[in-house]
Amino acid sequence: MGFRLGNGSRHMTALVTESGRLHRAHGPYGAVGRASRPDTPFRKNPVHRHVAHLRDLRSRYMAKGYSDELIPGACVQLELEESAPEPVPGKVHIVEPSWPLLFRAFDDAAPAASRGTLEDAINGFYTTIGVPFLPRRPGRPAAGGGPTARLPRRVAALRRALADGSAVSSSPRLAVGYTVTAAGVRLHVGRAGESLPHQDVVELHAALSAWLHLNAAR
């Protein structure tokens, strides 16, 4: 179960398997991509843990500009067997190899199965493997009650990231910066900072929009 995001030229695919492993692959459009070594199961409830990581990956990559939902979410059953390598005496952690075949099989099966959101795929995944879960509540509607599709692509991607609990922040190299979360907007200078009242956020948005329009031709 997983998703694929793109940024216009490259894509990122992330999958969670029934065994509780998180697999990732990156590559240009039209290619399966280079598979990374999986994040292996650990502690209790490895499936739930890596599903949480999957959500976080989606939010982080959308904030980086991977706003094309090539496969929003898909839960598929593949004719593959995921086997763990034999333990090595004296080693606590085992580095598992990447699994490119998994992504090829997902590519073949996912387009027909991708008919909803990532949360739909997650719910279907939990149901299929028989793992107890509490379905997430749908995200809050966009400002003004309009659908997210009406927003500019970058704004829609950041909105989804905020709705998933991620923060959007300025570069850490800047001495003066900002942090935006679903709860509010905070400006900071070094370690000191202050959250803006809602009306000030509205005025700041208007001022920034005016500045962008004024300087659009430069």
Side-chain angles (χ1 to χ4, degrees):
M1 178 276 302
F3 64 84
R4 171 169 292 168
L5 300 177
N7 69 353
S9 60
R10 297 184 62 80
H11 70 77
M12 179 270 185
T13 307
L15 307 173
V16 173
T17 60
E18 183 177 356
S19 66
R21 287 170 171 79
L22 175 62
H23 299 261
R24 282 167 282 190
H26 301 76
Y29 278 13
V32 174
R34 182 177 179 181
S36 304
R37 290 171 176 170
D39 295 348
T40 55
F42 66 101
R43 300 180 183 175
K44 295 181 179 179
N45 304 317
V47 172
H48 291 88
R49 287 179 180 275
H50 280 148
V51 166
H53 292 165
L54 188 78
R55 289 188 177 110
D56 182 62
L57 275 174
R58 179 180 177 275
S59 297
R60 286 194 285 118
Y61 271 83
M62 280 193 155
K64 290 179 181 179
Y66 283 70
S67 53
D68 297 330
E69 293 187 283
L70 306 176
I71 302 176
C75 175
V76 298
Q77 187 171 355
L78 307 176
E79 297 298 326
L80 297 175
E81 183 178 351
E82 188 174 30
S83 57
E86 293 293 329
V88 178
K91 287 191 176 182
V92 178
H93 300 288
I94 301 174
V95 178
E96 298 186 9
S98 60
W99 198 12
L101 183 60
L102 174 67
F103 294 95
R104 295 191 186 99
F106 182 76
D107 274 5
D108 292 338
S114 182
R115 301 184 183 279
T117 66
L118 177 61
E119 289 305 316
D120 293 330
I122 290 172
N123 294 344
F125 177 61
Y126 281 145
T127 301
T128 300
I129 66 176
V131 174
F133 71 101
L134 291 175
R136 275 195 167 192
R137 292 184 300 173
R140 291 178 295 180
T148 304
R150 294 179 184 174
L151 297 174
R153 189 171 65 178
R154 178 62 175 156
V155 176
L158 291 177
R159 178 193 176 278
R160 287 190 291 266
L162 294 174
D164 282 342
S166 297
V168 179
S169 301
S170 56
S171 170
R173 297 191 302 271
L174 298 175
V176 180
Y178 62 84
T179 299
V180 180
T181 66
V185 176
R186 185 174 179 83
L187 303 181
H188 51 81
V189 180
R191 294 185 177 180
E194 184 172 356
S195 296
L196 296 180
H198 183 269
Q199 185 57 41
D200 286 339
V201 174
V202 173
E203 288 298 317
L204 177 61
H205 175 268
L208 292 175
S209 297
W211 186 90
L212 288 171
H213 283 288
L214 184 64
N215 292 275
R218 295 183 182 180

